Amino acid sequence: MALDAPQLNSLGFAKPPSETRVVVAMSGGVDSSVVAAQLAEEGYDVVGVTLQLYDHGAALAKKGACCAGIDIHDARRVAEDMGFPHYVLDYENIFKDAVIDEFADSYLAGATPVPCIRCNERVKFKDLLETAKDLEADCMATGHYIQRKIGAQGPELHCAEDANRDQSYFLFSTTPEQLAYLRFPLGHLPSKDATRELAARYGLQVADKPDSQDICFVPNGNYASVIEKLRPGAAEPGEIVHADGRVLGQHNGVIHYTIGQRRGLGIGGLEEPLYVVKLDVDAKQVIVGPKDMLSTRIVPVREINWLGDAPFTSRDEWHVSVKVRSTRPPREAIVRPVSDTEAQVELLTPEEGVSPGQACVFYETEGSRILGGGWIWRGY
């Protein structure tokens, strides 16, 4: 008589929750707090960990960004209320080296960086994940809105049930090895309201806490002021030049501009609307032109993380959908591998404002699976 297969718990392990240790990455916000509370209520051996990523002395009173001092306090309070241990790890040096310095350098090079992806890739899913293993945890759970499903070849990454909350763009660089260890308990929820309802049910004081909006080390979304502090002299003035060579005005630093920008150029009175089409950091020039100059069909991508079942270079081309900005829906494209980590992406419908430093994320055209992605390194 065949033995029944062992019953798996909600995290996918063939043992009781009480014997399953899970490290929960807690930012102090409602999402990760709900994950920790839910797993604790289910009887798991929960360990909460919060990262101190930068000097939060100046940010203690700042709302709208994660990992500031008040968030550490909030995470600790959730752990106390739910009765599990909580640790705060000082990752300031790691965060500065792995995220902040590159953010400053790439911004100065005329790119539009996405530091939240690098933070997930180089800090949370690397060093913190190793810490979770050191704590002998069976897995690590986060409050990200994304789904992990078991496919024919093992764990797969899928978009969140709620398209408005989906964070797949920021998690494309999650490797298969990391995916085997990670869990995302909120990805199947229909809405953020459902998360807040759970928070209220668990009696969490963060149930009504506002979502974080800014990059955590960029108060009020003012990139330029942060860059000036990190790289003194970065805001050197120069010329605003039309693509046809005409000098149209002066600017007070390339760092104050982004590809695709139209407002605030300080060159009013012209007949045609002009947009920033290129940033020439070496020449200290902001180059502007008509909107059609922003339209891009071919996008070179590198540092590719591939999550498909077959090797990336096993085909000459992959017909997928891609996102070139977090706020845009996926559009159909052809990805042509150049190597295991480089490709040319052809957009079937040209996109405007494709910018170096942004991610290009690959999706199944039919379905919810994320196939990986890479970094746009010359979008014009």
Side-chain angles (χ1 to χ4, degrees):
M1 184 172 135
L3 293 172
D4 290 339
Q7 191 76 28
L8 298 183
N9 62 33
S10 63
L11 293 177
F13 297 99
K15 53 185 176 178
S18 60
E19 296 173 20
T20 307
R21 178 170 291 175
V22 51
V23 162
V24 180
M26 299 182 69
S27 68
V30 65
D31 298 327
S32 55
S33 296
V34 164
V35 167
Q38 186 174 44
L39 294 174
E41 189 189 61
E42 290 178 21
Y44 286 97
D45 178 9
V46 173
V47 179
V49 176
T50 301
L51 303 183
Q52 181 180 316
L53 296 178
Y54 61 99
D55 179 9
H56 58 267
L60 266 172
K62 178 167 72 71
K63 293 181 179 176
C66 69
C67 310
I70 195 151
D71 296 317
I72 291 173
H73 172 74
D74 286 344
R76 183 178 287 131
R77 190 168 58 187
V78 169
E80 287 173 1
D81 290 347
M82 298 301 297
F84 58 82
H86 174 258
Y87 302 100
V88 178
L89 304 182
D90 182 353
Y91 272 41
E92 281 190 36
N93 289 339
I94 293 170
F95 187 66
K96 185 176 185 303
D97 292 345
V99 180
I100 295 180
D101 283 344
E102 184 192 66
F103 169 82
D105 292 340
S106 63
Y107 207 91
L108 284 177
T112 309
V114 192
C116 301
I117 298 176
R118 290 300 198 194
C119 182
N120 290 326
E121 173 188 318
R122 297 176 173 177
V123 181
K124 292 176 183 172
F125 291 175
K126 184 167 176 271
D127 294 278
L128 178 55
L129 195 140
E130 288 305 316
T131 298
K133 290 180 177 177
D134 290 342
L135 291 168
E136 299 182 342
D138 294 284
C139 62
M140 185 171 98
T142 79
H144 289 106
Y145 286 87
I146 196 163
Q147 297 190 79
R148 173 189 183 272
K149 298 182 179 181
I150 302 301
Q153 305 286 327
E156 300 174 353
L157 207 57
H158 287 258
C159 295
E161 189 69 30
D162 179 5
N164 293 320
R165 306 296 307 177
D166 177 62
Q167 291 176 291
S168 58
Y169 185 84
F170 301 99
L171 296 167
F172 80 85
S173 60
T174 306
T175 66
E177 295 75 26
Q178 291 167 344
L179 193 54
Y181 193 70
L182 289 163
R183 301 292 188 274
F184 309 107
L186 301 184
H188 68 285
L189 293 180
S191 68
K192 181 66 177 235
D193 288 342
T195 307
R196 293 196 184 279
E197 285 168 14
L198 285 173
R201 196 180 99 200
Y202 298 131
L204 304 182
Q205 295 181 53
V206 295
D208 297 320
K209 186 172 179 177
D211 290 344
S212 58
Q213 301 293 338
D214 299 332
I215 294 168
C216 66
F217 59 92
V218 183
N220 307 317
N222 188 345
Y223 288 31
S225 66
V226 173
I227 304 292
E228 286 182 66
K229 280 182 193 164
L230 293 168
R231 301 287 186 270
E236 294 179 9
E239 295 175 336
I240 299 175
V241 182
H242 195 285
D244 64 14
R246 287 177 289 150
V247 175
L248 301 179
Q250 302 292 313
H251 65 76
N252 60 354
V254 169
I255 60 168
H256 297 287
Y257 299 83
T258 56
I259 303 292
Q261 180 178 337
R262 180 185 172 189
R263 301 183 188 281
L265 300 181
I267 49 170
L270 299 165
E271 289 182 11
E272 61 172 345
L274 295 175
Y275 299 77
V276 176
V277 297
K278 186 176 179 182
L279 299 171
D280 189 331
V281 178
D282 295 333
K284 299 191 180 79
Q285 288 184 337
V286 173
I287 296 148
V288 297
K291 191 174 185 179
D292 59 14
M293 288 190 69
L294 288 169
S295 192
T296 303
R297 185 180 284 277
I298 302 297
V299 183
V301 176
R302 62 186 176 186
E303 287 184 71
I304 287 171
N305 178 55
W306 178 246
L307 294 172
D309 293 336
F312 185 52
T313 53
S314 64
R315 292 191 199 169
D316 291 335
E317 47 184 55
W318 296 87
H319 291 254
V320 299
S321 293
V322 304
K323 267 191 189 188
V324 292
R325 291 223 167 165
S326 63
T327 52
R328 296 186 184 174
R331 303 274 179 86
E332 287 192 48
I334 300 170
V335 177
R336 296 185 175 92
V338 176
S339 70
D340 287 336
T341 58
E342 290 181 285
Q344 291 271 15
V345 176
E346 180 183 349
L347 306 173
L348 299 194
T349 304
E351 289 256 13
E352 292 170 355
V354 176
S355 178
Q358 296 278 308
C360 179
V361 181
F362 311 152
Y363 298 84
E364 272 185 339
T365 299
E366 303 292 333
S368 61
R369 189 175 178 186
I370 297 121
L371 297 172
W375 295 92
I376 300 166
W377 61 283
R378 193 182 63 246
Y380 44 74

